[in-house]
């Protein structure tokens, strides 16, 4: 039903519902046996993840030190995966039609998330220009300190709770 809605943001929430369903089914299928490592947990350094769709639970398995970019066919820019990528400073380009058919494992890629471009097999001059542009760009600032909540959180009946928020 979410996929049929007009608002892009709400359509992208369908991935969250699908992800939760996937996790429930996966956990129901476990019978106390050995846990296998997630395939995205052991990506080599410099990896660019190219996929038709990336669920948040899968993206959380990736080591942000090894992943230099994410390119997806269906995961949208308002998805939780895109938000996670921005928070981890991983360039991400979403909604590239047929990307899984246009890119082959082992292809050299140049990803410019600022411009929304992916160059397959870039020339030396394209690579040099890309990295020169990145040297000139202003880094995104991050907050230097976290501000704790000044007031306690208490329900009307006096129960204290911790209130946490993710504004990103």
């Amino acid at each position: 039903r979410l996929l049929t809605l007009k608002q892009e943001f709400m359509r992208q929430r369908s991935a969250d519902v699908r992800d939760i369903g996937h996790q429930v089914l996966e956990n129901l299928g476990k019978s106390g046996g050995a846990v296998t490592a997630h395939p995205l947990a052991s990506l080599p350094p410099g990896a660019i993840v190219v996929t038709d769709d990336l669920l948040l639970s899968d993206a959380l398995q990736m080591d942000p030190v090894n992943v230099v970019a994410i390119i997806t066919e269906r995961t949208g820019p308002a998805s939780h995966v895109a938000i996670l990528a921005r928070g981890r400073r991983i360039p991400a380009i979403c909604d590239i039609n047929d990307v899984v058919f246009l890119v082959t494992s082992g292809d050299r890629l140049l990803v410019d998330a600022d411009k929304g471009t992916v160059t397959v097999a870039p020339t030396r001059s394209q690579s040099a220009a890309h990295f020169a542009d990145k040297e000139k760009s202003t880094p995104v600032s991050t907050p230097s300190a976290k501000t704790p909540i000044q007031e306690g959180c208490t329900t009307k009946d006096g129960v204290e709770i911790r209130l946490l928020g993710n504004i990103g």
Side-chain angles (χ1 to χ4, degrees), residues 16-88:
D16 298 333
V17 174
R18 196 170 56 252
D19 192 17
I20 290 169
H22 173 73
Q23 290 178 58
V24 168
L25 290 174
E26 185 176 300
N27 284 314
L28 286 173
K30 291 180 182 175
S31 58
V35 177
T36 57
H38 193 284
L40 294 176
S42 58
L43 293 171
I48 297 175
V49 176
V50 178
T51 182
D52 60 340
D53 196 11
L54 186 61
L55 299 175
L56 180 61
S57 62
D58 294 328
L60 287 169
Q61 299 297 319
M62 297 185 304
D63 183 349
V65 172
N66 292 342
V67 177
V68 296
I70 299 170
I71 305 168
T72 64
E73 186 170 327
R74 291 193 311 240
T75 306
S79 69
H80 283 111
V81 169
I83 294 167
L84 177 70
R86 278 192 296 277
R88 292 182 170 183

Side-chain angles (χ1 to χ4, degrees), residues 47-162:
I48 297 175
V49 176
V50 178
T51 182
D52 60 340
D53 196 11
L54 186 61
L55 299 175
L56 180 61
S57 62
D58 294 328
L60 287 169
Q61 299 297 319
M62 297 185 304
D63 183 349
V65 172
N66 292 342
V67 177
V68 296
I70 299 170
I71 305 168
T72 64
E73 186 170 327
R74 291 193 311 240
T75 306
S79 69
H80 283 111
V81 169
I83 294 167
L84 177 70
R86 278 192 296 277
R88 292 182 170 183
R89 296 178 187 254
I90 299 172
I93 299 179
C94 308
D95 294 338
I96 295 182
N97 291 333
D98 298 323
V99 70
V100 294
F101 300 110
L102 299 172
V103 176
T104 310
S105 182
D107 281 349
R108 251 184 96 237
L109 303 176
L110 193 62
V111 180
D112 189 332
D114 294 329
K115 294 178 182 174
T117 61
V118 177
T119 306
V120 180
T123 64
R124 286 186 182 184
S125 62
Q126 288 173 316
S127 294
H130 170 78
F131 290 109
D133 285 347
K134 292 302 164 199
E135 291 277 327
K136 293 178 202 172
S137 68
T138 307
V140 176
S141 63
T142 57
S144 58
K146 295 181 181 177
T147 307
I149 296 173
Q150 299 299 319
E151 300 174 18
C153 297
T154 308
T155 61
K156 286 183 180 182
D157 60 354
V159 177
E160 289 188 31
I161 58 172
R162 278 184 71 188

